Amino acid sequence: AYKGTAGIILYYAGHGIPDETTRDAYLLPVDGLGTDITTGLSLQEIYTTLGELKAKSITVFLDACFSGSQRGEGMLVAARGVAIKAKEEKPMGTNTVIFSAASGAETAYPYREKKHGMFTYYLLNMLYRSKGTCSIGELGSYVEKKVKEKSVGVNSKQQTPTLSSSMAGSWKNLILK
């Protein structure tokens, strides 16, 4: 409808879970079961579908982790009590940028005082402060720095946001609009 001029933003805050056998990452809907991977949405399928769209830009914000851990205490996946490092799913297409709340087997922690996920709070903070005109690189650097610092202080746990892209060249200099 927009002949490739539309920008797509996908924001998800919730639980992600790994398939215990393949280590593929899944998003868990509110009615999904941590013990039944078929109730989740394959992150690779989502990235593939987004990558096939004719859009000017695709930006994905994931305030989720894929370790199987809950934001509070305990596990979502069975009763194994051990976090699994999900396979890193790659952005698809030629114009996709992905911001993720945590890396590897880390958990995406809450910022209870602010009533948000730690990642979401600092993401929104920078977008508000810059009036949405910061570059992808500036946003990624700010969120990573602030979340890493605050998570250790507030949650006594490490959380390292990540930034990846399917674009070539100087994509970190692109402005979010």
Side-chain angles (χ1 to χ4, degrees), residues 38-102:
T38 64
T39 64
L41 303 167
S42 164
L43 194 57
Q44 189 58 53
E45 287 180 28
I46 291 169
Y47 289 168
T48 299
T49 300
L50 288 171
E52 292 170 351
L53 297 175
K54 293 179 181 9
K56 179 179 162 186
S57 64
I58 299 168
T59 307
V60 177
F61 298 103
L62 293 176
D63 193 349
C65 60
F66 299 93
S67 63
S69 299
Q70 296 188 84
R71 281 193 174 184
E73 298 296 322
M75 301 297 288
L76 282 169
V77 182
R80 60 184 159 74
V82 176
I84 294 176
K85 183 177 178 183
K87 283 192 298 194
E88 184 180 338
E89 304 295 354
K90 303 287 185 193
M92 305 298 279
T94 59
N95 57 355
T96 303
V97 174
I98 299 169
F99 292 82
S100 293

Side-chain angles (χ1 to χ4, degrees), residues 61 99-101 111 114 117-151 159-163 172 176:
F61 298 103
F99 292 82
S100 293
Y111 193 178
K114 301 296 184 181
M118 185 77 56
F119 172 83
T120 294
Y121 176 77
Y122 286 109
L123 172 71
L124 294 175
N125 183 272
M126 181 59 161
L127 291 174
Y128 175 78
R129 289 175 52 234
S130 71
K131 296 183 170 83
T133 61
C134 59
S135 72
I136 290 170
E138 290 169 330
L139 181 59
S141 293
Y142 176 82
V143 170
E144 179 185 0
K145 178 181 185 286
K146 292 296 192 177
V147 169
K148 283 173 76 172
E149 289 172 356
K150 198 67 170 180
S151 185
Q159 179 179 338
T160 311
T162 63
L163 174 61
K172 287 187 178 183
L176 290 174

Side-chain angles (χ1 to χ4, degrees), residues 18-26 84-89:
D19 180 312
E20 292 185 60
T21 305
T22 65
R23 295 185 16 222
D24 291 337
Y26 288 80
I84 294 176
K85 183 177 178 183
K87 283 192 298 194
E88 184 180 338
E89 304 295 354

